């Protein structure tokens, strides 16, 4: 199933398209938003139920490697309209990962208001597998069920990342964030921050149930692992 492609000159065209869309006001169909929420509730509830045995296995593996650490990692993220919410993941790093982050900022491999290191020394052995397969992200289905997130949408950033955002960047915060999105299935970590913002705004401008389902389908195919997942 093919994805919609960006035009070759999207970097020049996209800002104009999106600003025009913003000036015209939000013309999203109410039926789209209602259907999107129904899909979110159904698939997140089904996913949590079906994946429960996997969650138990992952919890055991995390505890075996680091008995003192927690199974789940809770972190404040910024959602729609810049409202913060607690996002959940399986813990894939050492217990004091946040304390060590300041010492690793010089090694950041992603440009702009993001922080990622491909061979991050804070990641545990179990965590490396969880990240490679994206299993660490599965607890976010709970966030979807609660309405903090959607299955598809821009990824929710950290508060300190949003502090570096321009007004243009903040446009990606005008919709409910997602577990996966247009950026993840088209580029993942192979692009910088500016390109990520452009891809997110492209999604916001084009989004529909059909596009959401395509993104969900392609994400499912990628779940077994991606060279860009870190």
């Amino acid at each position: 199933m093919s994805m919609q492609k960006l035009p070759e000159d999207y970097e020049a065209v996209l800002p104009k398209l999106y600003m025009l869309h913003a000036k015209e006001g939000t013309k999203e169909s109410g039926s789209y938003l209602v259907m999107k929420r129904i899909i979110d509730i159904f698939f997140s509830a089904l996913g949590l139920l079906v994946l429960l045995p996997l969650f138990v296995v992952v919890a055991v593996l995390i505890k075996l490697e680091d008995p003192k650490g927690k199974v789940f990692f809770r972190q404040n993220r910024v959602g729609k309209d810049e409202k913060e919410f607690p996002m959940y993941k399986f813990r894939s790093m050492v217990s004091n990962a946040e304390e060590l982050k300041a010492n690793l900022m010089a090694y950041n491999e992603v440009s702009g208001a993001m922080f990622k290191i491909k061979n991050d020394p804070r990641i545990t052995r179990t965590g490396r597998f969880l990240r490679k397969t994206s299993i660490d992200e599965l607890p976010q289905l709970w966030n979807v069920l609660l309405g903090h997130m959607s299955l598809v949408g821009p990824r929710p950033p950290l508060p300190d990342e949003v502090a570096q955002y321009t007004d243009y960047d903040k446009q990606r915060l005008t919709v409910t964030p997602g577990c996966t999105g247009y950026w993840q299935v088209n580029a993942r970590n192979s692009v910088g921050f500016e390109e990520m913002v452009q891809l997110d705004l492209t999604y916001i401008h084009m989004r529909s149930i059909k596009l959401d389902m395509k993104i969900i389908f392609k994400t499912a195919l990628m779940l077994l692992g991606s060279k860009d997942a870190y």
Side-chain angles (χ1 to χ4, degrees):
M1 187 176 292
S2 61
M3 298 295 299
Q4 296 187 46
K5 299 297 184 180
L6 289 170
E8 293 181 0
D9 60 345
Y10 77 95
E11 292 186 4
V13 174
L14 178 60
K16 296 179 181 179
L17 284 175
Y18 191 77
M19 291 308 293
L20 177 60
H21 179 67
K23 286 181 179 180
E24 292 177 346
T26 302
K27 295 183 178 179
E28 289 178 313
S29 168
S31 60
Y32 163 70
L33 295 178
V34 170
M35 182 58 67
K36 183 178 179 68
R37 183 60 186 148
I38 291 174
I39 291 172
D40 283 344
I41 293 173
F42 176 78
F43 282 107
S44 60
L46 180 63
L48 288 169
L49 181 63
V50 172
L51 295 170
L52 184 58
L54 175 62
F55 279 30
V56 173
V57 172
V58 172
V60 171
L61 292 175
I62 291 174
K63 277 296 186 180
L64 285 175
E65 184 168 359
D66 184 2
K68 295 182 179 180
K70 296 181 179 180
V71 170
F72 296 102
F73 176 62
R74 179 181 183 275
Q75 186 179 54
N76 280 350
R77 294 288 181 125
V78 180
K80 183 180 179 181
D81 299 326
E82 300 184 48
K83 294 180 180 179
E84 293 189 22
F85 68 93
M87 189 182 80
Y88 298 94
K89 289 185 176 186
F90 280 119
R91 184 172 60 84
S92 60
M93 292 186 173
V94 293
S95 302
N96 62 336
E98 290 299 295
E99 299 172 15
L100 299 175
K101 181 178 177 180
N103 298 325
L104 297 170
M105 291 300 295
Y107 302 99
N108 188 12
E109 298 176 2
V110 181
S111 62
M114 289 192 297
F115 176 78
K116 284 184 179 291
I117 303 176
K118 189 169 186 178
N119 295 310
D120 196 321
R122 300 173 298 167
I123 301 176
T124 62
R125 285 175 298 178
T126 299
R128 200 165 297 282
F129 170 75
L130 296 179
R131 287 186 168 217
K132 185 68 176 178
T133 57
S134 295
I135 291 175
D136 64 315
E137 308 278 1
L138 292 179
Q140 288 161 44
L141 290 173
W142 179 245
N143 287 115
V144 175
L145 190 61
L146 293 178
H148 298 148
M149 298 174 64
S150 175
L151 291 174
V152 181
R155 288 294 293 166
L158 294 165
D160 61 345
E161 293 174 341
V162 173
Q164 303 175 56
Y165 277 19
T166 64
D167 289 340
Y168 178 76
D169 301 332
K170 287 182 179 180
Q171 291 176 112
R172 68 187 300 271
L173 304 176
T174 59
V175 299
T176 304
C179 296
T180 186
Y182 195 78
W183 163 54
Q184 283 83 358
V185 299
N186 284 284
R188 198 79 184 223
N189 294 312
S190 61
V191 298
F193 175 74
E194 291 183 2
E195 290 82 2
M196 180 203 72
V197 171
Q198 291 172 344
L199 287 167
D200 282 340
L201 297 189
T202 297
Y203 166 74
I204 292 172
H205 182 72
M206 301 191 310
R207 65 186 189 149
S208 65
I209 293 300
K210 182 178 180 180
L211 180 58
D212 285 351
M213 295 307 295
K214 285 182 178 181
I215 291 173
I216 291 172
F217 177 75
K218 191 166 183 178
T219 299
L221 295 180
M222 295 170 63
L223 188 60
L224 293 179
S226 168
K227 64 181 181 180
D228 293 325
Y230 62 88

